[in-house]
């Protein structure tokens, strides 16, 4: 007697489907892997937004290579929503980055400009009408250690210059990413999701949920502030073999989104 396979329902939509914010991936997560492996991982994790790094799409790419890149992303249901982080130490490097972003077809640059270049950057965002998110780096670099520092440097500049709030690095510099999201929401254009072991330089990246960050509090603040950008996992542990950690981090974050949602009540 043959037993036929049972009809099984499709999986439920991802928890973030009903939120204003979107779950994405920071390209740097895949610094050791090509675009095919990157997209395969996003597909398995049901992630549809990617911040593009130049090791996947070089600055000198032809228009055809850029078109092919976007076609490959589209085949996996992925949108390249920004480029970066890009480090900028000269006006020429700023020029190159804006032209690159224009050719790639995005309107958000995640970057790290030297402080003395901010007046020039102010001119460029007016010229291109792009948002520019300064990536903060905690105690590892003298440039932009936390959200307070970015805010102090951009608050009097064009409102299109803001921050990529890296919640792990912000916490490692002794700050509270939940409070900083609320304080600086008008200038938060991108978010890097991660978790860390301590609020100091000695703290290091771990899978989301295994560290000290208040992820449920952060999700609630995403809702309270109405943040409608991307929350991109930047996974920096076991980067030669990050895949289980990526899945755990995305799964944990989505579990928090689901269990804190009014839809579950």
């Amino acid at each position: 007697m043959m037993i036929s396979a049972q009809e099984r329902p499709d999986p439920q939509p991802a928890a973030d489907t009903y939120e204003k914010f979107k779950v994405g991936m920071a390209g740097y997560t895949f610094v050791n892997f090509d675009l095919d492996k990157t997209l395969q991982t996003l597909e398995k994790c049901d992630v549809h937004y990617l911040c593009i790094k130049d090791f996947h799409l070089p600055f000198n790419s032809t228009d055809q290579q850029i078109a092919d890149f976007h076609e490959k992303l589209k085949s996996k249901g992925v949108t390249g929503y920004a480029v970066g982080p890009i480090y900028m130490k000269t006006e020429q490097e700023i020029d190159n980055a804006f032209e690159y972003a224009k050719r790639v077809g995005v309107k958000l640059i995640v970057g790290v400009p030297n402080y003395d270049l901010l007046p020039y950057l102010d001119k460029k965002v007016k010229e291109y009408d792009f948002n520019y998110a300064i990536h903060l780096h905690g105690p590892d670099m003298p440039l932009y250690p936390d959200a307070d520092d970015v805010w102090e440097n951009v608050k009097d500049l064009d409102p299109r210059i803001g921050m990529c709030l890296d919640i792990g690095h912000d916490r490692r510099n002794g700050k509270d990413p939940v409070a900083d999201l609320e304080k600086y929401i008008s200038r938060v254009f991108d978010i890097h999701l991660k978790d860390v072991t301590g609020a100091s330089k000695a703290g290091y990246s771990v899978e989301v949920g295994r560290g000290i960050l208040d992820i449920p509090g952060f999700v609630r603040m995403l809702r309270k502030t109405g943040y409608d950008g991307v929350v991109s996992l930047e996974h920096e542990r076991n980067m030669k073999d990050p895949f289980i950690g990526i899945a755990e981090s995305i799964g944990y974050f989505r579990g928090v989104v689901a269990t804190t949602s009014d839809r579950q009540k």
Side-chain angles (χ1 to χ4, degrees):
M1 172 182 169
M2 280 187 65
I3 300 175
S4 60
Q6 183 182 359
E7 286 279 326
R8 296 181 181 180
D10 291 331
Q12 292 186 43
D16 48 288
T17 301
Y18 308 104
E19 304 289 345
K20 285 186 177 180
F21 61 85
K22 299 170 276 289
V23 171
M25 199 76 72
Y28 179 66
T29 298
F30 299 96
V31 64
N32 295 307
F33 300 94
D34 64 15
L35 183 63
D36 289 335
K37 186 66 174 177
T38 299
L39 292 176
Q40 181 187 86
T41 306
L42 265 64
E43 184 176 39
K44 287 180 177 178
C45 292
D46 195 20
V47 171
H48 300 279
Y49 296 89
L50 177 68
C51 187
I52 300 163
K53 277 293 285 181
D54 56 286
F55 50 71
H56 284 152
L57 186 63
F59 293 128
N60 62 357
S61 296
T62 65
D63 290 347
Q64 186 59 55
Q65 287 168 328
I66 291 171
D68 292 345
F69 176 90
H70 284 305
E71 195 57 42
K72 184 172 277 194
L73 264 59
K74 187 179 177 184
S75 73
K76 297 294 186 182
V78 173
T79 297
Y81 74 93
V83 294
I86 303 172
Y87 293 82
M88 303 175 194
K89 297 178 180 177
T90 65
E91 290 185 1
Q92 184 62 56
E93 287 177 345
I94 290 179
D95 290 347
N96 294 345
F98 273 81
E99 203 49 39
Y100 171 69
K102 182 179 178 180
R103 293 177 63 236
V104 172
V106 298
K107 297 198 76 173
L108 174 61
I109 298 172
V110 181
V112 187
N114 282 4
Y115 289 119
D116 63 346
L117 292 171
L118 288 171
Y120 187 72
L121 182 64
D122 194 63
K123 296 176 184 174
K124 297 302 283 192
V125 297
K126 289 178 169 69
E127 179 185 341
Y128 280 78
D129 190 23
F130 289 176
N131 280 351
Y132 189 103
I134 296 176
H135 188 284
L136 53 94
H137 278 89
D140 296 333
M141 282 176 58
L143 285 173
Y144 311 108
D146 55 39
D148 289 338
D149 183 77
V150 177
W151 173 260
E152 286 302 319
N153 279 283
V154 307
K155 64 183 180 181
D156 297 324
L157 299 177
D158 189 286
R160 286 165 287 199
I161 302 175
M163 70 183 75
C164 170
L165 179 58
D166 185 307
I167 64 175
H169 287 322
D170 199 49
R171 190 73 187 96
R172 289 176 64 242
N173 216 52
K175 301 304 172 75
D176 177 356
V178 179
D180 287 345
L181 175 61
E182 184 171 36
K183 273 193 291 188
Y184 303 133
I185 183 61
S186 66
R187 297 289 183 109
V188 176
F189 301 143
D190 195 27
I191 291 173
H192 278 177
L193 171 68
K194 61 181 63 154
D195 209 342
V196 295
T197 59
S200 69
K201 188 169 184 174
Y204 58 89
S205 287
V206 289
E207 293 80 1
V208 178
R210 293 202 197 190
I212 64 167
L213 284 176
D214 177 11
I215 302 298
F218 192 75
V219 168
R220 291 188 181 98
M221 188 56 71
L222 287 168
R223 293 193 185 104
K224 181 180 177 182
T225 58
Y227 176 74
D228 60 0
V230 183
V231 180
S232 280
L233 177 68
E234 187 175 51
H235 186 72
E236 295 180 307
R237 189 179 192 198
N238 300 329
M239 294 188 77
K240 293 289 177 70
D241 186 17
F243 305 106
I244 290 175
I246 290 169
E248 179 180 334
S249 296
I250 292 290
Y252 176 86
F253 184 74
R254 282 182 163 151
V256 170
V257 171
T259 55
T260 58
S261 170
D262 289 339
R263 297 177 64 87
Q264 300 298 314
K265 295 174 185 174

